Amino acid sequence: MGMTIKDIAKKCGVGVSTVSRALNNHPDINPETKKMILKTVEESNFVPNNSARNLKRTDSKSIAILVKEIDNPFFATMMRVMEKKIRRQKYSFFIQHMGKDQDEVDTALELIKEKKLRGIIFLGGDFRKNKERIAKIKVPFVVSTAAFDKLPEKCIASYVSIDDRAESRKIVDYLCETGHKKIAILASDKKDENIGKLRLEGYREALKAHGLEADEERICYLDEEDTTYSMENGYRMMKKLLKKETEFTAVFAISDLMVIGACKALLEEGKRIPEDVAVAGFDGLDYTGFYQPAITTMAQPVEEIARQSVGILFDMIETKKSQEGKYLPATLKERESTTGGRRTWKQD
Amino acid sequence: MGMTIKDIAKKCGVGVSTVSRALNNHPDINPETKKMILKTVEESNFVPNNSARNLKRTDSKSIAILVKEIDNPFFATMMRVMEKKIRRQKYSFFIQHMGKDQDEVDTALELIKEKKLRGIIFLGGDFRKNKERIAKIKVPFVVSTAAFDKLPEKCIASYVSIDDRAESRKIVDYLCETGHKKIAILASDKKDENIGKLRLEGYREALKAHGLEADEERICYLDEEDTTYSMENGYRMMKKLLKKETEFTAVFAISDLMVIGACKALLEEGKRIPEDVAVAGFDGLDYTGFYQPAITTMAQPVEEIARQSVGILFDMIETKKSQEGKYLPATLKERESTTGGRRTWKQD
């Protein structure tokens, strides 16, 4: 039913390669000819090869990105980077979003069965348990922004992430080195076995290295009923901490969303940041730089994680071999919320 | 190769319906039996029907969500709501993300051809032009968060959006009514033909209704080189406006991201909000409530737009008839950035 590129060429009285040049924005074509060809394409049923190539659903050239709940604030940025890189490789891709109650391994197995995928990128998720079932995933996959201790042997798999424990230790180290001895933390819930746990461990390690004790009174856990790293939860936790009248001169929140809520609570109670309480977050969300005061944070190399995840996936598709998981370094963004600093805000 | 539910039943020595009850968390089953069945399932190659049903890729029961560039800050929330509602209808769905240079109509046509979709939800996009090509989309579709003047006749289509012009007029009305006569606007780029244009028109209409003149000096346009509604652009525009020394006692930004950047620029220059400049945004992002001071904004009913978009799509799939496009009301959130107000922040 649809027209082919040959039909278009014939209709326009030009060669197929000329049509192709018009469609691909090639500079080497007469502008009038190009215009005429594009008009013909516009009026026809023909879907240009250009988009056909990008999107063609030959199931054998398809990559799925599986997202478990979109509470990863980097989601949009990572999508954008991955989309570009995957398309450049002439693979099609789509995003599969899962609900809280859906199992990522089941979802992956189902997609592989129905779609004959070439590869999968998991955006977050828990790959430390369920090893047996994970081993059933027979296509190469990369876990992005989370790590696992040991690669399942039967899998072709890898991960790209930051070292959450080490980077968390670094930012708490920084707080210690700037003179703080009473550092509170807004942590994850007590049952957390993933990044929340690692970031709390980093906090404990840093205090220990500086000869400080981790006072349980200064560790605020997320409620197990609602474990989202949200501004609202950060706000509530800080309000609660302030009521306890536990002494602290600095607070570290394990996520930037939580730190923004915590700042609101502090400012509302008349605390000055950082004169009364220094504040640091984790993740590197843009918002932290625009907050008043700008908030110190440990920034994840989000774009680089996305780029390398795709790169490693393509490598594994080619070699059919697992790759060692990879930690990328995070960057400490030192800002007014810990330095005081002048009012002249400089973008970093 | 995979096991069927019958194989599982046989292996466990129970009936198929018992296996089904175990898999579906039905209360009416002996806990021991359930445990045994789930263990067998776990150890087998069987993908439970439960997830199979949710995800089954019978191409005839599939919905695609097409997202053109993820600069819509509501993306995550909308996905979450849509995902739940689509799954409840036993449809499978996936998200197709497009780059800036990809054409949404081409993408849609390609997907329909390859996937035999039942319906499409476009998250944003421009459906005011390209009518002829849009008419080629033969499956029902809904445009979410953007409207079009007239439904293409050959399509089964609808939209769910706010009335950007009217809601923008309302919030500028509000600024006028609270005594402001010199109101600046951070607008879209001059060539914008979509929501940015509508929101600017709303601003002009409100001023006119209050007998005020729209001074071109107070209208700041986005640079045509970078038309994203970002914090950074809001920051830059406000810096520029402050340099011009044009008088203004209030500023309205057509997006919340822009307004956050603008606040940063104002505070940096030592301006007090709202004593020196009252500030209002548009969209209702959570961040505005946590900013210091909390920012007044016109909040879009994002979840309701998502819910109704899916509802209308299913209606159209059933009836095979277009539905009238629908505007949902936005809500003015009046906060410290225009009221001053007390420091006791109350969540709304």
Side-chain angles (χ1 to χ4, degrees):
Chain A
M1 72 183 229
M3 285 182 87
T4 69
I5 191 165
K6 279 187 193 164
D7 298 330
I8 300 289
K10 205 174 159 192
K11 205 167 170 185
C12 298
V14 299
V16 166
S17 62
T18 309
V19 178
S20 169
R21 274 202 291 276
L23 293 172
N24 289 298
N25 261 322
H26 197 285
D28 191 17
I29 181 173
N30 178 303
E32 285 304 311
T33 313
K34 183 175 171 183
K35 209 169 153 188
M36 185 249 310
I37 292 169
L38 293 181
K39 196 160 169 278
T40 311
V41 168
E42 176 76 28
E43 290 162 0
S44 77
N45 256 321
F46 174 67
V47 176
N49 238 328
N50 186 23
S51 80
R53 193 178 53 211
N54 287 335
L55 290 162
K56 203 161 170 208
R57 301 262 138 199
T58 52
D59 280 336
S60 55
K61 289 275 270 180
S62 194
I63 305 279
I65 300 177
L66 260 73
V67 192
K68 176 87 175 179
E69 284 288 297
I70 315 194
D71 39 23
N72 183 334
F74 303 132
F75 182 72
T77 308
M78 297 192 75
M79 285 298 101
R80 201 177 298 123
V81 174
M82 288 177 170
E83 181 255 321
K84 257 194 201 148
K85 208 166 146 78
I86 294 174
R87 278 173 58 214
R88 211 177 298 135
Q89 299 276 350
K90 314 283 185 249
Y91 276 69
S92 77
F93 88 105
F94 62 91
I95 303 160
Q96 186 70 50
H97 176 238
M98 288 172 287
K100 230 179 208 159
D101 53 330
Q102 276 182 290
D103 180 277
E104 50 258 72
V105 180
D106 279 352
T107 308
L109 293 175
E110 195 58 41
L111 285 176
I112 293 164
K113 207 156 114 188
E114 305 272 350
K115 298 269 195 190
K116 299 175 195 74
L117 295 178
R118 282 288 190 95
I120 299 176
I121 296 171
F122 292 93
L123 259 193
D126 183 4
F127 289 82
R128 287 162 201 268
K129 39 190 187 181
N130 285 329
K131 288 264 163 70
E132 273 180 44
R133 287 174 51 243
I134 291 168
K136 289 180 191 161
I137 303 177
K138 300 297 188 205
V139 303
F141 69 88
V142 177
V143 180
S144 208
T145 71
F148 36 76
D149 303 323
K150 199 168 172 291
L151 296 164
E153 271 174 40
K154 293 176 195 164
C155 290
I156 303 170
S158 192
Y159 65 79
V160 184
S161 173
I162 56 161
D163 184 340
D164 286 282
R165 188 194 285 117
E167 301 298 355
S168 167
R169 193 177 52 222
K170 264 187 231 160
I171 194 163
V172 181
D173 264 346
Y174 159 76
L175 291 173
C176 294
E177 279 158 21
T178 51
H180 295 283
K181 294 189 193 310
K182 292 173 180 169
I183 303 169
I185 181 172
L186 306 191
S188 188
D189 63 295
K190 284 186 180 169
K191 288 187 180 160
D192 192 320
E193 290 288 332
N194 290 297
I195 57 165
K197 186 187 176 185
L198 295 170
R199 293 182 189 173
L200 176 57
E201 285 172 2
Y203 163 83
R204 288 185 194 275
E205 286 177 14
L207 293 190
K208 206 175 164 187
H210 285 82
L212 301 170
E213 216 168 316
D215 185 340
E216 281 300 317
E217 282 297 304
R218 292 197 193 100
I219 302 180
C220 313
Y221 292 96
L222 263 177
D223 200 324
E224 275 163 38
E225 297 294 299
D226 177 7
T227 61
T228 23
Y229 296 0
S230 62
M231 292 183 281
E232 210 175 311
N233 280 335
Y235 176 79
R236 277 201 211 116
M237 289 161 96
M238 182 48 82
K239 282 276 183 184
K240 222 166 133 185
L241 179 64
L242 288 169
K243 262 197 200 122
K244 286 206 290 186
E245 290 180 9
T246 309
E247 265 189 282
F248 60 99
T249 63
V251 63
F252 164 53
I254 62 157
S255 102
D256 278 345
L257 289 179
M258 282 158 76
V259 94
I260 287 169
C263 283
K264 184 81 193 175
L266 285 166
L267 295 169
E268 251 180 52
E269 300 291 329
K271 304 283 180 195
R272 292 162 308 161
I273 302 171
E275 294 84 353
D276 299 322
V277 181
V279 173
F282 198 104
D283 279 339
L285 293 193
D286 288 347
Y287 291 95
T288 55
F290 287 91
Y291 205 80
Q292 187 67 13
I295 302 168
T296 296
T297 184
M298 185 60 87
Q300 299 209 39
V302 185
E303 302 198 3
E304 196 54 30
I305 292 176
R307 252 190 302 274
Q308 296 213 19
S309 296
V310 177
I312 288 176
L313 183 64
F314 283 124
D315 280 354
M316 295 194 303
I317 289 172
E318 210 171 296
T319 62
K320 296 188 174 52
K321 272 181 200 152
S322 279
Q323 282 200 20
E324 198 72 42
K326 205 181 216 177
Y327 285 131
L328 300 182
T331 311
L332 179 67
K333 306 257 182 189
E334 193 188 21
R335 299 201 183 111
E336 297 162 9
S337 74
T338 53
T339 63
R342 287 155 304 142
R343 265 291 172 90
T344 318
W345 173 80
K346 222 176 83 258
Q347 213 186 324
D348 35 25
Chain B
M1 73 183 229
M3 286 182 87
T4 68
I5 191 166
K6 280 186 193 167
D7 298 329
I8 299 288
K10 206 173 156 192
K11 205 167 170 184
C12 299
V14 299
V16 166
S17 62
T18 309
V19 178
S20 169
R21 275 203 291 275
L23 292 171
N24 289 298
N25 259 323
H26 197 285
D28 191 17
I29 183 172
N30 177 303
E32 285 304 309
T33 312
K34 184 175 171 182
K35 211 171 151 187
M36 186 247 312
I37 292 168
L38 293 182
K39 194 160 170 279
T40 311
V41 167
E42 176 75 29
E43 290 163 1
S44 76
N45 256 319
F46 175 68
V47 176
N49 238 326
N50 186 24
S51 81
R53 193 177 54 212
N54 288 335
L55 290 163
K56 204 161 170 208
R57 303 260 139 200
T58 51
D59 278 338
S60 54
K61 289 275 270 182
S62 195
I63 304 280
I65 300 177
L66 261 73
V67 193
K68 176 87 176 177
E69 285 288 295
I70 315 194
D71 39 23
N72 183 336
F74 303 132
F75 182 71
T77 308
M78 296 191 76
M79 285 299 103
R80 202 177 297 124
V81 174
M82 287 177 170
E83 182 256 321
K84 258 194 202 151
K85 209 168 144 79
I86 293 173
R87 278 174 59 215
R88 212 176 295 136
Q89 299 276 351
K90 315 281 186 250
Y91 276 69
S92 76
F93 88 106
F94 61 92
I95 303 160
Q96 185 70 50
H97 177 236
M98 288 171 287
K100 229 177 208 161
D101 53 330
Q102 276 183 289
D103 180 277
E104 50 258 73
V105 180
D106 279 351
T107 308
L109 293 175
E110 197 57 41
L111 285 176
I112 293 165
K113 207 155 114 186
E114 304 273 349
K115 298 269 196 189
K116 298 175 194 76
L117 294 177
R118 281 289 189 92
I120 299 175
I121 297 172
F122 292 95
L123 260 192
D126 184 3
F127 290 82
R128 286 161 202 270
K129 41 191 185 179
N130 286 331
K131 288 268 164 66
E132 271 179 47
R133 288 176 50 244
I134 291 168
K136 288 179 193 162
I137 304 177
K138 300 296 187 205
V139 304
F141 69 90
V142 176
V143 180
S144 209
T145 71
F148 37 75
D149 302 324
K150 200 167 171 287
L151 297 164
E153 271 175 41
K154 291 174 197 165
C155 291
I156 304 171
S158 191
Y159 65 81
V160 184
S161 174
I162 57 161
D163 184 340
D164 286 283
R165 188 193 285 115
E167 303 297 355
S168 166
R169 192 177 53 221
K170 264 187 230 163
I171 194 162
V172 181
D173 264 345
Y174 158 78
L175 291 172
C176 294
E177 278 159 20
T178 50
H180 294 283
K181 294 191 193 310
K182 291 173 180 169
I183 304 168
I185 181 171
L186 306 191
S188 188
D189 64 292
K190 284 186 182 169
K191 285 187 181 160
D192 191 321
E193 291 288 332
N194 289 296
I195 59 165
K197 185 186 177 189
L198 294 170
R199 293 181 189 174
L200 177 58
E201 283 172 3
Y203 162 84
R204 289 186 194 275
E205 285 176 16
L207 293 190
K208 205 174 164 189
H210 285 82
L212 301 169
E213 215 168 317
D215 185 340
E216 281 299 318
E217 282 297 304
R218 291 197 194 100
I219 302 180
C220 313
Y221 293 96
L222 263 178
D223 199 323
E224 275 162 40
E225 296 295 299
D226 177 7
T227 62
T228 23
Y229 295 0
S230 63
M231 293 183 282
E232 210 174 311
N233 280 336
Y235 176 81
R236 277 202 212 116
M237 288 161 96
M238 182 48 82
K239 282 277 182 184
K240 220 166 134 186
L241 179 63
L242 287 169
K243 262 198 201 119
K244 285 206 294 186
E245 291 179 7
T246 308
E247 265 190 282
F248 60 98
T249 63
V251 63
F252 165 53
I254 63 157
S255 102
D256 278 346
L257 289 178
M258 283 158 75
V259 93
I260 287 170
C263 282
K264 183 82 193 173
L266 284 166
L267 295 169
E268 252 180 50
E269 299 291 329
K271 303 285 182 194
R272 291 165 307 159
I273 302 172
E275 294 82 353
D276 299 323
V277 181
V279 172
F282 198 104
D283 277 339
L285 292 193
D286 288 348
Y287 291 94
T288 54
F290 287 90
Y291 205 81
Q292 187 67 10
I295 302 168
T296 296
T297 183
M298 185 60 88
Q300 298 210 39
V302 185
E303 303 199 2
E304 196 55 30
I305 291 175
R307 254 191 300 276
Q308 295 212 19
S309 295
V310 177
I312 288 174
L313 182 64
F314 283 125
D315 280 354
M316 294 193 305
I317 289 172
E318 210 171 296
T319 62
K320 295 186 174 54
K321 272 179 200 154
S322 279
Q323 282 200 20
E324 197 71 41
K326 207 181 212 176
Y327 285 131
L328 299 182
T331 311
L332 179 68
K333 306 256 183 191
E334 192 188 21
R335 300 202 182 109
E336 297 162 9
S337 74
T338 53
T339 63
R342 288 157 302 143
R343 264 290 171 94
T344 319
W345 173 78
K346 225 176 83 255
Q347 211 187 326
D348 37 23

